[in-house]
Amino acid sequence: MKPQGFSHHVRHPPFLTVWGPFILGLLVSAYFVAQTIFGFSWDNLALAILALLVAFVVPQSRRHAFPVQDRVIRLEERLRLKELLPDVPAARIDGIPTDQLIALRFASDGEVEELVQRIFSGELVSRREIKQAVREWRPDHERV
C-alpha cells in the first residue's frame, strides 16, 4: 500500500466506484422498462419505487457513519493529547474543536505539541491547514 500523505490520504468509498453505477443502472432500467417497453403497470411502478429507495438509502447509510466515526476520533485524540501533553490543562484540550482533532490524528507523536500550540495561538484553524503542517504523517487506514 502506498504511504499516506496530505496529497493522497482521502479514500474513495465503494459507493462511488461500485454502488453508484449500479444504482444509476437500476434507475435507468426501471425508467426504461416502465416507460418504453411495457407502459404503466403496478409492477413497473413498484420497480421504479424500489430503484428510488435503493438510490436514497445507500448514500444515507454511508452518511450516518461519519458522525459516529468523528466522535470516536475525537475521543481517541483527546486521550492521546492528554497523554502526550501532561502540562496542558485537560479543559484546554477538551476545547479543541472536533474538526481540528480529526486533522491532528495524522500528526506523529513528536510534532503534536508544536501543532497544538499553533492551534491555541490561532495560527492553524482549518483541517486543511493542520494537515498541511504535518511533517511526519501518521496514516489512518481504518477510516470508513
Side-chain angles (χ1 to χ4, degrees):
M1 180 176 281
K2 188 173 170 183
Q4 283 186 8
F6 176 75
S7 62
H8 57 279
H9 71 284
V10 178
R11 285 181 60 186
H12 297 287
F15 172 75
L16 296 176
T17 56
V18 177
W19 284 104
F22 174 74
I23 291 170
L24 182 63
L26 183 61
L27 284 170
V28 168
S29 65
Y31 176 79
F32 181 72
V33 166
Q35 294 299 318
T36 59
I37 296 176
F38 298 112
F40 177 79
S41 76
W42 290 108
D43 291 341
N44 292 339
L45 180 62
L47 178 64
I49 290 172
L50 176 66
L52 287 172
L53 284 174
V54 169
F56 287 110
V57 168
V58 170
Q60 278 297 101
S61 66
R62 177 161 170 73
R63 205 179 98 203
H64 287 295
F66 283 131
V68 174
Q69 191 160 353
D70 289 350
R71 290 182 69 176
V72 171
I73 292 169
R74 182 180 65 211
L75 174 63
E76 287 176 345
E77 287 306 307
R78 283 181 177 169
L79 291 172
R80 177 178 172 231
L81 292 178
K82 288 174 184 175
E83 183 179 306
L84 292 174
L85 309 173
D87 298 336
V88 177
R92 193 117 194 249
I93 290 173
D94 290 341
I96 299 173
T98 302
D99 276 355
Q100 292 176 339
L101 288 170
I102 289 170
L104 276 174
R105 80 182 187 277
F106 295 112
S108 66
D109 291 349
E111 64 184 326
V112 164
E113 184 173 5
E114 175 197 343
L115 292 173
V116 168
Q117 293 306 324
R118 291 173 68 188
I119 288 170
F120 288 155
S121 71
E123 183 182 342
L124 299 175
V125 178
S126 71
R127 275 191 199 191
R128 182 178 185 83
E129 291 172 342
I130 295 168
K131 288 179 188 178
Q132 285 177 328
V134 173
R135 292 182 306 273
E136 293 179 48
W137 199 268
R138 196 179 89 169
D140 180 6
H141 298 292
E142 298 176 7
R143 181 88 174 161
V144 174

